Amino acid sequence: MWKPGYLPLLFVASILQTPLVASMRAVTWNLRFDSRPDNIPVSQSLASLGDPLQQPAFLNGSNERPWSTRRLRVAEHLLGEGIVLAGFQEALVRQVNDLAELFGSEWSWIGVGRDDGVQAGEFSPIFYKRSAITLLSNDSFWTSNTPFEPSRFPGAGSFRICTAAHFTLASEDGPRNFTFLNTHMDDQSDAQRRLAASLLLTRARFEAVTTGGPVLISGDFNSPSTGGDSGAYSIITGAAPPVAINATFAQRFSVPDDQLPDFKMIDLRGQAPRRAVSTNFATFTGFTAPNDASDWTRIDFIFGGSNLGWTVDAYKVDPVLADDGALASDHRPVFADINI
Ligand SMILES: *[C@@H]1O[C@H](CO)[C@@H](O)[C@H](O)[C@H]1NC(C)=O
Ligand SMILES: *[C@@H]1O[C@H](CO)[C@@H](O)[C@H](O)[C@H]1NC(C)=O
Ligand SMILES: *[C@@H]1O[C@H](CO)[C@@H](O)[C@H](O)[C@H]1NC(C)=O
Ligand SMILES: *[C@@H]1O[C@H](CO)[C@@H](O)[C@H](O)[C@H]1NC(C)=O
């Protein structure tokens, strides 16, 4: 029964509680760089797809297929999942361009080649669907000792980069701003990964303090959450102290000591309702799947900042082995349904 006396209370409750209704499906996926270029255009791959009513021939997997074979599977998988935001790793510019073509004109992307800050080398690009997400600003920094110039950390196998963006997610209750950082840490240097995690944590805290909104990080950390190589994960989740970073970077992204002093990033896999977290755990399977699981590890993550402003409805890691025996990548896509 309607009781007028409750009205003021309901009103107070509704202004105190920020509604969490803006939802998006996001993904992080290391696409494996195009190590076997064959110059086949997307249009030709599409034209040579088989009769959809015929069972495909068995290719016998357990090895790497050219990107020209893998890219249609990547696009089919992601568009079928209804994603609106993607952080990719290891994409060469031709792979970025192919995905832009396959995703179509409703999508845009940001990012630069890590070797020259333009188009050379692998990108850690961010793709977003413009009907849901609007880009406000973006930049890139290198996870090295000289973060504002294309550079490699001493001892690292490659130049390493982070793509950073401010976005707005459209919702019925009005636009919601959020920050998204996407990166790929080094495969050889644990010191690089620890530095990268420290730089990202500094930047993420700065964004949390200065925007007051949610901060998300996705990436291939090239190291797991436990064991001897887990330094980067330990640092970003606040379980271990950060290492010293470049002073110019620290200055540019400094905040007062008393602002979110214990800020850290929270692993979204542990935040979704348990029934909505996929059984699949490993995110790297190599091209040996499904026969040899000895190298399988969980090294690809999505995090949310400890200042919150987000919740997670579901979290899953999808297999990428098709009936014809071919794998779309040596990593699996990691999906999160995020409300902000
Ligand atoms: C796939 O290739 C491996 C190695 O060449 C072979 O041992 C296996 O029998 C093949 N599987 C099928 C289903 O053809
Ligand atoms: C995103 O970054 C690119 C490369 O630096 C730049 O050209 C572009 O203007 C940026 N877009 C926005 C909206 O900040
Ligand atoms: C910090 O990074 C800036 C910009 O990349 C660079 O100019 C500066 O030399 C770096 N500082 C040190 C101590 O390496
Ligand atoms: C979102 O960001 C835009 C651009 O920086 C800003 O004008 C707007 O006030 C922000 N909205 C909120 C709710 O913070």
Side-chain angles (χ1 to χ4, degrees):
M1 193 169 61
W2 184 64
K3 292 180 181 174
Y6 288 172
L7 262 187
L9 220 118
L10 285 173
F11 177 71
V12 169
S14 72
I15 56 169
L16 286 180
Q17 190 188 18
T18 310
L20 295 167
V21 293
S23 302
M24 61 176 166
R25 178 162 290 179
V27 68
T28 184
W29 197 356
N30 180 322
L31 299 173
R32 169 66 178 175
F33 79 99
D34 178 16
S35 72
R36 302 170 182 200
D38 52 19
N39 297 313
I40 298 174
V42 167
S43 56
Q44 189 180 328
S45 293
L46 288 169
S48 58
L49 280 171
D51 179 345
L53 301 181
Q54 295 293 318
Q55 182 177 333
F58 189 70
L59 299 170
N60 197 357
S62 301
N63 59 44
E64 180 178 353
R65 305 277 155 191
W67 166 249
S68 63
T69 302
R70 302 190 288 111
R71 65 191 169 195
L72 299 188
R73 298 156 197 255
V74 168
E76 176 212 315
H77 195 152
L78 295 181
L79 296 179
E81 287 291 335
I83 60 158
V84 296
L85 180 67
F88 295 121
Q89 299 85 30
E90 244 179 75
L92 298 173
V93 69
R94 57 180 176 269
Q95 294 174 281
V96 174
N97 289 334
D98 284 357
L99 283 185
E101 183 175 347
L102 284 164
F103 279 25
S105 60
E106 292 171 49
W107 287 77
S108 293
W109 62 271
I110 51 169
V112 296
R114 67 188 186 188
D115 289 357
D116 66 353
V118 190
Q119 292 214 330
E122 296 172 8
F123 290 53
S124 289
I126 299 172
F127 277 64
Y128 59 97
K129 193 175 186 180
R130 288 194 312 279
S131 56
I133 291 177
T134 307
L135 176 67
L136 299 172
S137 63
N138 74 118
D139 61 271
S140 300
F141 63 88
W142 279 260
T143 48
S144 68
N145 288 329
T146 49
F148 301 118
E149 52 212 71
S151 49
R152 185 168 61 90
F153 180 81
S158 308
F159 286 39
R160 297 289 173 181
I161 200 166
C162 175
T163 308
H166 293 125
F167 287 116
T168 295
L169 177 63
S171 86
E172 288 173 3
D173 281 358
R176 304 296 176 88
N177 292 355
F178 68 99
T179 303
F180 186 41
L181 309 176
N182 179 49
T183 196
H184 186 189
M185 297 182 187
D186 199 60
D187 58 336
Q188 294 174 28
S189 167
D190 195 57
Q192 190 282 336
R193 296 191 291 262
R194 288 168 187 263
L195 178 73
S198 305
L199 289 162
L200 267 90
L201 191 60
T202 296
R203 177 70 189 262
R205 180 181 169 207
F206 172 83
E207 299 298 345
V209 169
T210 55
T211 71
V215 182
L216 304 172
I217 293 181
S218 70
D220 173 358
F221 274 36
N222 256 319
S223 62
S225 60
T226 55
D229 278 338
S230 62
Y233 185 94
S234 300
I235 288 170
I236 211 140
T237 57
V243 298
I245 59 170
N246 172 279
T248 314
F249 187 94
Q251 179 58 35
R252 185 173 301 183
F253 299 115
S254 69
V255 292
D257 287 345
D258 62 351
Q259 302 288 299
L260 299 176
D262 300 320
F263 180 83
K264 61 186 177 180
M265 299 302 297
I266 301 172
D267 187 337
L268 294 195
R269 188 175 169 98
Q271 300 302 311
R274 186 62 188 90
R275 58 150 184 81
V277 179
S278 70
T279 306
N280 291 325
F281 188 77
T283 64
F284 174 80
T285 62
F287 286 108
T288 59
N291 305 319
D292 176 2
S294 56
D295 285 338
W296 293 19
T297 46
R298 178 174 183 249
I299 58 176
D300 302 86
F301 305 99
I302 306 177
F303 299 95
S306 62
N307 62 317
L308 300 179
W310 52 264
T311 59
V312 189
D313 285 342
Y315 186 99
K316 66 172 184 156
V317 181
D318 271 1
V320 293
L321 181 68
D323 280 5
D324 64 4
L327 289 151
S329 178
D330 56 350
H331 289 245
R332 293 163 159 179
V334 177
F335 296 93
D337 290 347
I338 302 169
N339 310 306
I340 61 171

